Amino acid sequence: MDLAIRGKTALITGAQGGIGLATAKCLAAEGVSLVLSDLDADALFRAADEIDGDPLCVAADVTDQAEVDALVRQGVERFGAIDIVVHAAGVTGAKGDPLELSDDDYEHAWQIDFFSAVRVARATIPAMRDRGWGRFICLTSENTVQPYWEEAVYNTAKAALGTFVKNLSYKEAASGVLCNTVAPAFVASPMTDGMMKQRAEQLGCTFEEAIESFLEEERPGIVAKRRGEADEVAFVIAMLASQHASFVNGSNVRVDGGSVISVQS
């Protein structure tokens, strides 16, 4: 299917791997110009080698508004405009008893998983609004509606992110800017690789056995008994960025293999 976005420009944060990189590849195949950003410049440039075309790579710290503004400015200077934002930057943050986690633990996740999206929105949405077209898509998580006890800092920040994007959607659509979220669950990525390596060490088992036991004990709703693939999430993101999704606004699209055992979105 032609997504009818050839010639548009997308800014992707968290682009060096996982869902961010898969989304970059998917959009590049649709003829979209790319502005790719992550914190690690070397890893970002290595990732860009896997993508068709000539993406602009800019290392930036999304916890700093000045760096976000400079990132967007460089994208506009190179391509003329930013039409699509895919905000995939995020961290799992500290884990443990919610009452024993420190203020700094909560603040770290808040700045990266929530407030970074506010900064990116400030830097991109007004110009989209002026041009009368735009897509603002953020990655949330299954944790926004099915929080896990030991992941309180992540749960809280991602839930706030979902609410923020919903809040934006109320008014921005009047100017042609559609705001949505995508909520993956247990997708193969550097983030879940790290989780499973840690689990394997704790249980004294192989990486594959750690995945199997995690699915059985922690994610029974994923009846396919496998991790999702980044490409499977990227396709949904690309559809939301397309012209064909022109009546999808303020939605949270779950790509979780059934992990959330609920009809709530």
Side-chain angles (χ1 to χ4, degrees), residues 230-255:
D231 290 348
E232 294 172 309
V233 185
F235 174 77
V236 174
I237 294 171
M239 284 300 298
L240 287 175
S242 77
Q243 296 281 14
H244 304 300
S246 57
F247 203 58
V248 183
N249 184 51
S251 293
N252 178 52
V253 183
R254 297 200 320 237
V255 189

Side-chain angles (χ1 to χ4, degrees), residues 56-212:
L56 172 64
C57 296
V58 182
D61 180 355
V62 291
T63 68
D64 185 323
Q65 185 71 60
E67 291 201 26
V68 171
D69 291 344
L71 161 65
V72 173
R73 185 166 57 250
Q74 290 180 65
V76 171
E77 289 172 355
R78 169 75 176 273
F79 297 112
I82 301 295
D83 306 293
I84 298 163
V85 171
V86 179
H87 184 53
V91 294
T92 54
K95 295 183 180 182
D97 187 321
L99 302 183
E100 294 180 1
L101 293 167
S102 69
D103 288 5
D104 287 344
D105 291 334
Y106 281 96
E107 184 66 22
H108 179 247
W110 182 256
Q111 289 297 327
I112 298 174
D113 290 334
F114 170 70
F115 220 143
S116 62
V118 178
R119 298 183 184 99
V120 173
R122 286 172 178 157
T124 57
I125 287 182
M128 293 180 184
R129 187 192 301 144
D130 290 344
R131 292 192 306 276
W133 196 96
R135 300 287 188 267
F136 188 79
I137 303 162
C138 291
L139 264 69
T140 56
S141 170
E142 62 174 324
N143 294 49
T144 61
V145 295
Q146 185 166 275
Y148 298 98
W149 179 84
E150 74 281 6
E151 298 178 11
V153 300
Y154 184 75
N155 299 340
T156 303
K158 286 294 188 178
L161 175 56
T163 301
F164 172 69
V165 176
K166 182 66 174 180
N167 195 85
L168 290 178
S169 74
Y170 293 140
K171 293 292 185 180
E172 299 302 339
S175 300
V177 181
L178 306 182
C179 303
N180 295 288
T181 57
V182 174
F186 202 43
V187 172
S189 68
M191 183 182 291
T192 60
D193 283 350
M195 291 170 56
M196 292 303 102
K197 287 175 183 175
Q198 184 178 36
R199 183 179 179 87
E201 291 172 2
Q202 292 172 343
L203 298 179
C205 64
T206 67
F207 182 81
E208 290 72 21
E209 288 169 339
I211 293 174
E212 291 176 7

Side-chain angles (χ1 to χ4, degrees), residues 4-29:
I5 49 177
R6 183 170 298 277
K8 300 289 188 184
T9 298
L11 165 64
I12 303 176
T13 66
Q16 76 176 43
I19 295 169
L21 178 56
T23 301
K25 293 178 180 178
C26 191
L27 292 178

